Amino acid sequence: MKLLVPVDGSAAAQHAVTHALWLAYGRPEATIVLLNIQNRETLGLSETHAETEDERRIAATRSAKTLRNAVRGCEEAGVRFETRMEFGLICETIIRTANEVRADQIVMGTRGLGRLGSLVVGSVATGVVHQARVPVTLVKKSRRPRGEKLTTHAEAPVGARG
């Protein structure tokens, strides 16, 4: 089983990572592909000039930072994973990457688009659902009581550890 999880640094994306870890738990063949996408909008750049080496370096640095918690969660859960850092339009890049890695499923958050605030909320999730060739699981941001800690990594389901 291969799960593609787009990660933008938001709480909603972290919930999706946690859900994917639960799906992969106890399945040694499972792999989670953590995907971060940067583009001119996420980097706060003008659309008028060509991509430069500096922009690629900035995008790679931001992607690595954004993926840090998701990577840590996979390591702590003992789940196989790989990371992908891409530059492009969000929805299209998710679909393209799912096809390239031969994902069996896409798991993504429904809100909290990070620096993509100018997008209509939910437009990325809606686009992925409509265009994906594989099942898409949308993970809603939970409504936790104030003060309750959000776990950034998956713990074994009750009774799963012997």
Side-chain angles (χ1 to χ4, degrees), residues 21 69-79 81 151-154 161:
L21 288 168
N69 284 340
V71 166
R72 187 177 309 125
C74 290
E75 290 171 344
E76 290 176 2
V79 173
F81 71 95
T151 303
T152 58
H153 63 280
R161 293 188 182 177

Side-chain angles (χ1 to χ4, degrees), residues 87-131:
F87 195 92
L89 299 172
I90 306 299
C91 184
E92 291 81 354
T93 303
I94 293 170
I95 298 301
R96 178 180 48 78
T97 303
N99 293 334
E100 286 175 3
V101 302
R102 299 179 190 247
D104 296 302
Q105 184 176 355
I106 300 169
V107 179
M108 60 188 292
T110 58
R111 299 176 103 20
L113 298 172
R115 293 185 203 104
L116 303 176
S118 66
L119 291 175
V120 176
V121 173
S123 64
V124 172
T126 300
V128 171
V129 167
H130 288 295
Q131 296 177 43

